[in-house]
Amino acid sequence: MNLGLAIMILIGFNVCNAFIDAYKITVLHREIRHAINLTAYLVIVWIVLHFLDYDATRSISFYFFGFFIRQITFDIPLNWRRGLSTFYVSTANPPKAVWDRIEIWIFGKDSGRKQVEFYLAGSALSVLLLIFL
């Protein structure tokens, strides 16, 4: 498997997961199961990484890429499907998702744009490392 296909698989999984969760939230009025989402995503990343057959250094870079791209290709489509801004930050006090709490602690409550910029930069840097390592 090449890197481009691996990236498309992760993005496709994230967008599908966002659409499913948006449906659960807006139509079924259910909460997102963050632990199940995380576990499923880590399994997908592990499977894709297995087929890439990377060494330890590139594998670590791929996990970082997987983390950064998840924040972009899951959160933004989820926000859009819910009719929210691209840069939406949870208004729950405190947010139910642990990572939302960490983001608010790091970036602040009104910082959705900073988060997106950070994750885009992290994604780009991770891909560059994967290409040039």
Side-chain angles (χ1 to χ4, degrees):
M1 176 184 303
N2 67 32
L3 180 59
L5 178 59
I7 290 170
M8 295 308 296
I9 289 170
L10 295 186
I11 291 171
F13 178 85
N14 291 333
V15 171
C16 288
N17 189 202
F19 276 46
I20 291 166
D21 281 356
Y23 177 80
K24 287 179 185 176
I25 293 167
T26 57
V27 176
L28 302 178
H29 305 289
R30 291 189 192 166
E31 295 179 0
I32 294 176
R33 303 289 186 180
H34 298 284
I36 293 171
N37 283 352
L38 176 62
T39 302
Y41 187 63
L42 288 175
V43 168
I44 293 294
V45 171
W46 181 83
I47 290 169
V48 169
L49 190 55
H50 173 74
F51 285 105
L52 287 171
D53 196 31
Y54 282 167
D55 61 19
T57 305
R58 289 186 86 194
S59 295
I60 291 168
S61 295
F62 188 77
Y63 273 111
F64 273 103
F65 172 77
F67 166 75
F68 289 123
I69 202 67
R70 170 76 175 176
Q71 301 309 114
I72 299 297
T73 60
F74 173 78
D75 287 354
I76 293 173
L78 179 66
N79 293 343
W80 290 345
R81 293 291 294 175
R82 295 175 61 203
L84 302 170
S85 161
T86 300
F87 307 113
Y88 172 78
V89 176
S90 176
T91 56
N93 193 13
K96 292 179 183 172
V98 173
W99 191 249
D100 287 347
R101 294 178 195 176
I102 293 169
E103 287 176 332
I104 289 170
W105 181 72
I106 293 171
F107 298 106
K109 197 75 164 152
D110 301 318
S111 63
R113 183 176 300 276
K114 289 179 192 172
Q115 292 173 14
V116 169
E117 290 169 354
F118 175 77
Y119 294 129
L120 283 172
S123 296
L125 179 61
S126 299
V127 166
L128 289 174
L129 287 173
L130 286 167
I131 291 170
F132 294 111
L133 281 179

